[in-house]
Amino acid sequence: MISFCSLASGSSGNSQYIGNKTTKILLDAGLSGKYIKAGLEGIGVDPNDLDGIVITHEHSDHIKGIGVLMRRYGVPIYATEGTWKGMSEKIGKIDSEKVNLIKNDEIFQIKDIQVKAYSVAHDANDPVGYTFENGTGKIGVITDLGHYTEEILTEIRSCDLVMLEANHDVEMLQMGSYPYYLKRRILSGVGHLSNEASGEIACDIVRNGKARNILLGHLSRENNFPDLAYETVKSIMESEGIKVGNDVMLDMTYRDKIGGLYVIK
Ligand SMILES: [Zn+2]
Ligand SMILES: [Zn+2]
């Protein structure tokens, strides 16, 4: 068994739980320690039982709660060297023995869950996406990337559940109030995936992969609406002949509340 729950996802904070009876992992901790504790307890997980926090990159919406969680619960973290360099001064005093440096494309084990880190294109030091796998299921999370590659698709085609970034609607972003440099950054190859790009990936992983659940995440507050993201991705999939709700389940994660608990048996 392996389960997944998004505690929150979006530009104001990201954290996802992946685990089972014996192994409990957090993917990023970009919210307050208090929020994460409450979220975990909401799904019956004691933060004292966390076995590790794996970190995608050093942006504050992914690391805000790391220092508190490490100090309060003694949780070890896993990050690439670049990510660690980018975050080490922002998280306060921590026990350096709890820091595990990993490499891109490395597979490592946290108790009985196998974790793989793979490179993504995003404007951070050495950002990665992750897959989590045990004997029964595989989960992949790809948010915070400007574009997708064949390598990334290969990683997530074998996942049973994929959480996928649907950051913005391109038109809303272009017409919106963000300053020009920020619009350029988001739209660039190292920014964030649009709803349309998310739809393309969703089509690929249904056609060529095995996912039964696709969850949309990391929605922009300014440049997207949950309904718009959902309908855009769904209509792209349906235009490719995919029956959403039948061939695959399409769900949302939320910017400031806990999402559904998915259990793969
Ligand atoms: Zn980021
Ligand atoms: Zn982010």
Side-chain angles (χ1 to χ4, degrees):
M1 188 267 262
I2 185 165
S3 54
F4 175 89
C5 183
S6 173
L7 304 182
S9 175
S11 35
S12 48
N14 297 276
S15 189
Q16 281 76 43
Y17 166 80
I18 297 102
N20 56 25
K21 267 208 173 78
T22 51
T23 311
K24 298 175 198 317
I25 300 172
L26 270 190
L27 169 63
D28 291 330
L31 301 125
S32 73
K34 200 174 151 193
Y35 178 95
I36 291 172
K37 175 179 186 277
L40 287 171
E41 286 172 352
I43 52 167
V45 175
D46 182 340
N48 287 297
D49 294 340
L50 285 174
D51 295 297
I53 305 172
V54 301
I55 302 166
T56 56
H57 65 297
E58 69 274 18
H59 289 161
S60 66
D61 57 320
H62 297 261
I63 63 160
K64 227 175 288 169
I66 299 269
V68 171
L69 294 174
M70 289 183 81
R71 284 187 291 276
R72 198 167 295 166
Y73 306 111
V75 197
I77 61 164
Y78 297 78
T80 62
E81 198 175 345
T83 297
W84 173 242
K85 278 196 180 133
M87 66 183 275
S88 58
E89 284 173 9
K90 300 179 193 157
I91 61 169
K93 205 172 155 29
I94 50 97
D95 175 0
S96 59
E97 283 188 7
K98 300 270 181 206
V99 179
N100 298 284
L101 295 183
I102 53 153
K103 289 196 172 67
N104 269 326
D105 297 318
E106 188 179 6
I107 295 174
F108 57 99
Q109 198 81 23
I110 302 180
K111 285 173 122 181
D112 72 355
I113 295 180
Q114 196 181 73
V115 184
K116 180 165 184 191
Y118 52 91
S119 245
V120 295
H122 189 55
D123 51 1
N125 289 347
D126 188 9
V128 292
Y130 288 99
T131 58
F132 305 87
E133 183 172 17
N134 69 352
T136 50
K138 186 171 178 183
I139 289 161
V141 178
I142 40 165
T143 65
D144 298 78
L145 67 167
H147 70 277
Y148 60 94
T149 59
E150 190 59 30
E151 287 75 25
I152 290 173
L153 293 175
T154 305
E155 295 297 341
I156 59 172
R157 279 178 191 140
S158 54
C159 292
D160 303 282
L161 179 149
V162 178
M163 178 175 158
L164 194 55
E165 172 163 51
N167 178 257
H168 57 273
D169 176 75
V170 174
E171 220 164 285
M172 269 181 86
L173 177 68
Q174 280 166 341
M175 308 298 277
S177 65
Y178 273 19
Y180 180 68
Y181 78 91
L182 202 51
K183 290 181 182 180
R184 283 219 21 197
R185 187 217 140 203
I186 295 169
L187 290 169
S188 78
V190 292
H192 292 278
L193 290 180
S194 67
N195 294 341
E196 288 76 10
S198 194
E200 292 164 13
I201 298 176
C203 288
D204 179 277
I205 57 183
V206 174
R207 231 183 285 121
N208 304 313
K210 57 181 285 209
R212 292 292 308 146
N213 291 91
I214 295 174
L215 313 182
L216 302 182
H218 213 298
L219 270 67
S220 163
R221 198 176 293 276
E222 295 269 332
N223 304 310
N224 214 348
F225 296 111
D227 286 352
L228 179 61
Y230 187 88
E231 290 304 326
T232 303
V233 172
K234 187 176 173 215
S235 71
I236 292 171
M237 293 169 83
E238 287 179 344
S239 73
E240 295 283 316
I242 295 165
K243 292 191 184 69
V244 173
N246 189 20
D247 299 330
V248 67
M249 304 303 290
L250 180 66
D251 291 322
M252 301 302 293
T253 62
Y254 304 103
R255 291 183 279 226
D256 40 25
K257 65 173 186 186
I258 190 164
L261 177 66
Y262 297 82
V263 180
I264 302 164
K265 287 184 182 153

